[in-house]
Amino acid sequence: MARYIFITGGVVSSLGKGLTSAALGALLQARGYTVRLRKLDPYLNVDPGTMSPFEHGEVFVTDDGAETDLDLGHYERFTGVAARNTDSISSGRVYTNVLEKERRGDYLGKTIQVIPHVTNEIKDFIAIGDDEVDFQLCEIGGTVGDIEALPFFEAIRQFSQDRPRGECIFVHLTLLPYLAASGELKTKPTQHSVKELRSIGIAPDVLVCRSEHPIPDKERAKIGLFCNVRQDSVIPAYDLKSIYEAPMAYHKVGLDQAVLDAFRIAPAPKPDLRRWKDVEDRIHNAEGEVKVAVVGKYTQLEDAYKSIKEALTHGGMANRTKVKLQWVDAELFDKGDPAPYLEGFHAILVPGGFGERGTEGKIKAAQYAREHKIPYLGICLGMQMAVVEAARNVAGIKDAGSEEFDHESGETRFTPVIYHLKEWVQGNYTVKRKLGDDKGGTMRLGAYDATLSEGSNVARIYGDSTLEERHRHRFEVDTKYRDQLEAVGLKFSGMSPDGRLPEIVEWEDHPWFIGVQFHPELKSKPFEPAPLFADFVRAAKEIERLV
Ligand code: GLN
């Protein structure tokens, strides 16, 4: 049976619960334990697949094809444990399950209520995989006091009661605001937040207090006293230069020790922190800087490309170099010249995306990279636009485009070199799909293999003849145009094992130009950078040396 750590937040949102959970998971691993991390989200969407990246940030895709919250990306980057479908649930999913059961008659004519039906559904979810790991860490999204989060809080309260005493603990994250006028850290919001939590039957064992200023021992003692938490379990959390410093920083202030104490695990196994020391060393001892332009649509909200940003950082760590990433809005040069916006960068990355807006700019970015021999990494839509560019400007298919855009506008303007998937094989099944199907969960999602051509750049980078990466797309490159494109030098260097779906394209007489239909950024970790990102940054560094 696993031990359970529930992580909640109070006072304000965006305190970094996900990061704290991930760092705590990493620290428990360093002490030799196995962990699994989960996110319980109170919103009513069934999954984040249809939520706008502008609003909610990136959708993180798991190997088993779930579209999940970006916090699962943090969990995976810090622990290396591949996130699964069963690691994320929302109120929408919980209610859907309950209502489906009700319709099926599973509840034998009972009146369906939040307690016990909804809370039982949540508790069953929390207990999935109970005997697989030493610790299950469950983060509750939102903030204590949110109306929609109440069933989750009630469920974790009940869960801890159902379990043998001492097998569940509660970690609560709060904020200590600083009043410059009086030069004081204020503890009252934290006291209120804990009071709120206790009023619904949850007494935190550990308090993690975010603060921009040092928290004096006197204040820690005061918080402990007023919140009924031991002083050494009031853990300060200060701002960090890099999120990857979090495990070491939390270890130094005693978070993992406080958690083990709360479980009465003594003596605590000694931690092996070499992995995180190495990560810190790479952050602090980086030489030089490469400038990478990320040409996208959702550039106002950094979280929309969270994993790309992180994977570039990891690529930098692999090369002991800093990566300066600049978001460039593709729409700026939809109609104009991209040169003023792209000059001076050592590499260009065009990430995934949906819809036509900004795609002419992305096509121009691919053209600019091809013609100026600048390293280019095109991911998903970024690959598709590189193919359109090649088709239009090199292979002479002047009106090449993607079926996605014609479908969206209801016009027929393009020769669809990118067309929609009609069916594909997933495991032992053939999945069939029409364009008009629901938007939710109708994509080619999750991990698929690709077979790499011998002697290709990508085979060298992966050091292998196959790879497995995660996908999230509806459209794909039409193999009908393969011969025509290869004849002008755009090689299809990675295909699905059945040879039907193009996975990778690369220009043969270019130092580094690769487009991939999958998302290599999703599996990248600071201690195990995605090969494509590590090599992309290496190539950028070479350009930087030349100029
Ligand atoms: N919109 C494209 C498709 O659906 C690309 C998707 C993506 O970049 N993730 O195929």
Side-chain angles (χ1 to χ4, degrees), residues 351-355 379-382 384 404-405 418 443 472-476 517 519:
F354 293 84
I379 294 176
C380 211
L381 188 64
Q384 296 174 355
E404 176 176 7
F405 313 146
I418 313 296
M443 283 187 274
R472 180 171 186 252
H473 62 116
R474 278 189 194 90
F475 298 86
E476 64 165 313
Q517 187 59 78
H519 291 272

Side-chain angles (χ1 to χ4, degrees), residues 444 447-453 458 462 464-469 471 493-499 501-504 516-518:
R444 183 167 176 244
Y448 286 87
D449 295 335
T451 311
L452 313 179
S453 312
V458 76
Y462 276 83
D464 209 338
S465 57
T466 57
L467 57 75
E468 191 196 69
E469 296 281 6
H471 293 66
S493 54
M495 298 293 290
S496 59
D498 64 3
L501 310 176
E503 292 279 10
I504 303 153
V516 291
Q517 187 59 78
F518 48 80

Side-chain angles (χ1 to χ4, degrees), residues 459-516:
R460 171 188 64 77
I461 292 166
Y462 276 83
D464 209 338
S465 57
T466 57
L467 57 75
E468 191 196 69
E469 296 281 6
R470 296 180 192 163
H471 293 66
R472 180 171 186 252
H473 62 116
R474 278 189 194 90
F475 298 86
E476 64 165 313
V477 179
D478 192 342
T479 46
K480 216 161 64 184
Y481 302 96
R482 178 173 182 172
D483 290 347
Q484 222 175 324
L485 289 165
E486 290 206 322
V488 295
L490 186 72
K491 298 293 176 197
F492 286 42
S493 54
M495 298 293 290
S496 59
D498 64 3
R500 291 181 56 209
L501 310 176
E503 292 279 10
I504 303 153
V505 295
E506 48 185 83
W507 278 109
E508 56 181 357
D509 57 352
H510 189 287
W512 211 104
F513 191 112
I514 298 179
V516 291

